[in-house]
Amino acid sequence: MAGYGYSFVTDKAFSAFARDLEQGAWKSVSIDKVDVPNRVPTALLLEAPKPVVWKARAVWSIRALDEALGVASAAALAELDTEWDASQRALHLFLASAAESKDPAHRDAAVRLRGALLAGAGTEQTQYAYDAEVDHGWHQIAIAGKAPLAADVKKVGAGPYLKRVEEATDALAKGLGRSAGQKRAVARSKRIREAMVACTQAFNAIHDDIGWLIAHTPSGKQRDLLEALHAPFLALLERSPQRAPAAAAPEEDVVEDAEEEDADEPEAEESAPE
């Protein structure tokens, strides 16, 4: 596959290109049937029209880049942490109240949940570091959804409180750049670098595919459509001029250097005739 210069496109330019995919000829290309959050649609991409596959690939690569770029700032993380702490306090207070129930079974279930889900006196987990809070929240949700604690959750009616914990934990994890099950966040610079490479590869592939079809499609409506779909990609490259590589040393200088090196070499002694 040829490289067309997409490696010179900036992250902002890739992100902005999402608007181009909703205008002109691309506007009529719908990816609704395949556009799912996990990007693994049940509708087979193999059976989808080529423009749908092209648009899905471009849109998904841009979204992945936006996700890498959109890791929360310190202020945003602090706000996400405030909600996480609040969800933990709400769960703590609810279970503390349930533990005072007159119903022994209700009370015992609440005590078991407090012991399994909360740390210290009930809110110690709110003092954890961000990553540790995410780990703790995911652990709470995991064990609360399995036997024997699942029955206790149902018994005391803690479901809504755990749902809030789950939502707060997922939001904090996303702000940290972590995905479900990921131990720790990958460095932001690495995420952006990998997302930029993926965008470059995706755009090169789409450009190559459309260009090949244009070259092998006779004049008419289909070719006109292909050229209209290709136009925004060409415009993106025009807006992203290739930077000239570092100039190589002039050839004559290289030759002179080589000659100077040869001059420094001692001449081989001629062997005396026998």
Side-chain angles (χ1 to χ4, degrees):
M1 180 196 308
Y4 297 98
Y6 290 102
S7 58
F8 296 98
V9 177
T10 65
D11 50 10
K12 291 182 180 179
F14 273 131
S15 294
F17 193 77
R19 293 193 295 269
D20 293 83
L21 293 171
E22 297 303 329
Q23 299 173 3
W26 285 106
K27 186 175 183 179
S28 61
V29 178
S30 174
I31 62 172
D32 291 346
K33 292 183 178 179
V34 299
D35 192 16
V36 293
N38 67 355
R39 297 161 194 164
V40 184
T42 54
L44 292 179
L45 287 171
L46 186 62
E47 299 175 354
K50 274 188 173 292
V52 172
V53 175
W54 294 332
K55 185 170 181 176
R57 187 170 185 182
V59 167
W60 292 346
S61 65
I62 292 170
R63 283 182 189 164
L65 175 59
D66 288 343
E67 289 166 4
L69 291 168
V71 175
S73 64
L77 282 174
E79 185 175 343
L80 293 170
D81 178 58
T82 296
E83 168 55 20
W84 193 88
D85 290 350
S87 72
Q88 294 292 323
R89 288 192 295 270
L91 178 63
H92 159 65
L93 292 172
F94 171 77
L95 292 178
S97 177
E100 301 298 330
S101 173
K102 291 183 178 181
D103 181 354
H106 194 96
R107 183 171 62 245
D108 291 345
V111 170
R112 284 192 294 270
L113 288 173
R114 280 173 56 83
L117 301 179
L118 306 177
T123 58
E124 183 179 303
Q125 65 274 19
T126 62
Q127 303 304 311
Y128 293 169
Y130 291 157
D131 272 308
E133 288 183 343
V134 170
D135 293 338
H136 187 85
W138 280 343
H139 176 69
Q140 287 173 311
I141 300 306
I143 63 174
K146 300 177 182 178
L149 293 184
D152 290 338
V153 170
K154 186 176 181 180
K155 179 70 176 177
V156 301
Y161 296 89
L162 287 166
K163 182 64 175 176
R164 182 181 179 185
V165 167
E166 182 177 17
E167 291 174 349
T169 301
D170 287 347
L172 181 57
K174 185 176 181 180
L176 291 169
R178 291 177 61 176
S179 56
Q182 193 178 55
K183 294 298 183 182
R184 287 290 185 272
V186 177
R188 182 174 184 268
S189 60
K190 183 178 180 181
R191 287 196 303 274
I192 295 174
R193 184 167 61 252
E194 291 176 346
M196 286 291 287
V197 169
C199 271
T200 299
Q201 292 174 340
F203 277 61
N204 270 324
I206 296 166
H207 186 118
D208 192 61
D209 210 9
I210 297 177
W212 187 89
L213 283 174
I214 290 174
H216 297 277
T217 300
S219 298
K221 290 185 177 180
Q222 289 190 343
R223 179 163 179 157
D224 291 344
L225 174 59
L226 288 169
E227 290 177 342
L229 294 174
H230 206 201
F233 287 83
L234 296 173
L236 176 61
L237 291 178
E238 290 180 3
R239 297 193 300 269
S240 309
Q242 298 189 24
R243 296 178 291 277
E251 186 176 344
E252 55 191 26
D253 293 344
V254 175
V255 173
E256 289 176 1
D257 291 343
E259 290 175 348
E260 290 175 4
E261 290 178 3
D262 290 343
D264 294 337
E265 292 284 341
E267 293 183 5
E269 297 181 2
E270 294 182 1
S271 57
E274 294 182 0

